Amino acid sequence: MIKVASYNMRKSIGTDRRRRPERTLEVLLEVDADVIALQEADRRFGTREAVLTANLLAEHSPWKAVHFGMRARSMGWHGNALLVRKDAEILACEAIHLPTLEPRGAVMADLRVNGSPLRGVGMHLDLSGLWRRRQAHAILSHLAACTPRMPTVMMGDLNEWSAERGCLHDFAQHFAFAPTGKSFHARRPMARLDRIMASPELEIGDVGVHRSLAARTASDHLPVWAELRHR
């Protein structure tokens, strides 16, 4: 079993408007997933430095960041990052460039977690429905061209308010959605903006939205999680 999670951490700025990376880490420790896709993990301006520093992760967490080599002080690419257990093996990784009018991207890593292979993709899609669909097609096309084929989980903030239209329809042609529940807004969840999707090689087990007191104040999104098993 592999536990995965997705969290739009909002640059560690909570609903109290305070930036507290330690509080973000507290939420992640509560979720305790093997693989975590983060959105808005880097600061927006300047060097785009990571909010959760390497020292903070090394000294106070069981995870390491997958390094994509895009910016020296960033954790990921356009705010998208992947965390994995320190004993997980990172076989390959790359950033995925997406069609967009504003900075958007996705990240992908081939992993060996708990002895099993897993391809993980993290994303944060556009506010525009038209561009979301174009980005979904770009990600799906990129995955279709990847060799070898691997069991794949895709996670992130899709910014899709509809229940099954738009980019959800496109992803659903190839992936199953984990029924995690509503994750936005953190104080009063009304929408399923944050999603976890699994390829046919994976069976979705227990799922949920993490609703602790810390999670309700650490970001405007709640983390979503799912347990996956290889078929």
Side-chain angles (χ1 to χ4, degrees), residues 34-38 41-42 50 52 54 57 63-77 79-86 88-95 106-113 118-122 155:
D34 299 305
V35 181
I36 304 170
L38 297 175
D42 298 328
L52 298 176
L57 288 176
W63 303 289
K64 59 187 176 184
V66 177
H67 293 290
F68 298 94
M70 304 303 291
R71 294 190 178 98
R73 302 183 67 179
S74 296
M75 180 183 288
W77 173 236
N80 293 284
L82 293 173
L83 300 182
V84 298
R85 296 276 186 195
K86 290 176 181 175
E89 186 179 358
I90 302 170
L91 306 174
C93 63
E94 63 179 304
V107 290
M108 184 179 81
D110 292 348
L111 310 166
R112 188 168 297 278
V113 184
L118 182 72
R119 177 168 288 150
V121 179
M155 303 179 280

Side-chain angles (χ1 to χ4, degrees), residues 150-190:
M150 292 179 67
T152 301
V153 60
M154 299 197 298
M155 303 179 280
D157 179 356
L158 304 192
N159 268 319
E160 181 59 70
W161 287 76
S162 72
E164 56 187 18
R165 297 191 299 273
C167 70
L168 301 184
H169 173 78
D170 302 324
F171 284 129
Q173 306 305 304
H174 308 276
F175 286 77
F177 282 86
T180 50
K182 298 176 180 178
S183 57
F184 181 86
H185 186 278
R187 288 190 170 176
R188 189 177 180 183
M190 300 176 61

Side-chain angles (χ1 to χ4, degrees), residues 15-173:
T15 53
D16 57 2
R17 300 184 181 180
R18 298 175 61 191
R19 188 192 303 277
R20 294 181 55 194
E22 296 81 5
R23 181 171 56 186
T24 301
L25 186 57
E26 176 186 351
V27 174
L28 295 178
L29 289 168
E30 291 174 349
V31 176
D32 195 30
D34 299 305
V35 181
I36 304 170
L38 297 175
Q39 302 87 51
E40 299 192 24
D42 298 328
R43 292 176 183 262
R44 185 174 182 181
F45 301 110
T47 59
R48 308 292 205 278
E49 65 181 306
V51 176
L52 298 176
T53 65
N55 286 341
L56 185 63
L57 288 176
E59 296 176 10
H60 301 287
S61 90
W63 303 289
K64 59 187 176 184
V66 177
H67 293 290
F68 298 94
M70 304 303 291
R71 294 190 178 98
R73 302 183 67 179
S74 296
M75 180 183 288
W77 173 236
H78 289 314
N80 293 284
L82 293 173
L83 300 182
V84 298
R85 296 276 186 195
K86 290 176 181 175
D87 61 356
E89 186 179 358
I90 302 170
L91 306 174
C93 63
E94 63 179 304
I96 303 173
H97 297 265
L98 299 182
T100 184
L101 292 177
E102 61 179 18
R104 294 283 178 178
V107 290
M108 184 179 81
D110 292 348
L111 310 166
R112 188 168 297 278
V113 184
N114 299 336
S116 299
L118 182 72
R119 177 168 288 150
V121 179
M123 68 189 76
H124 189 182
L125 301 189
D126 206 279
L127 295 174
S128 160
L130 174 62
W131 285 104
R132 281 197 299 274
R133 297 201 71 175
R134 290 175 176 174
Q135 290 163 1
H137 291 158
I139 293 168
L140 290 169
S141 295
H142 187 90
L143 288 173
C146 287
T147 54
R149 183 182 178 92
M150 292 179 67
T152 301
V153 60
M154 299 197 298
M155 303 179 280
D157 179 356
L158 304 192
N159 268 319
E160 181 59 70
W161 287 76
S162 72
E164 56 187 18
R165 297 191 299 273
C167 70
L168 301 184
H169 173 78
D170 302 324
F171 284 129
Q173 306 305 304

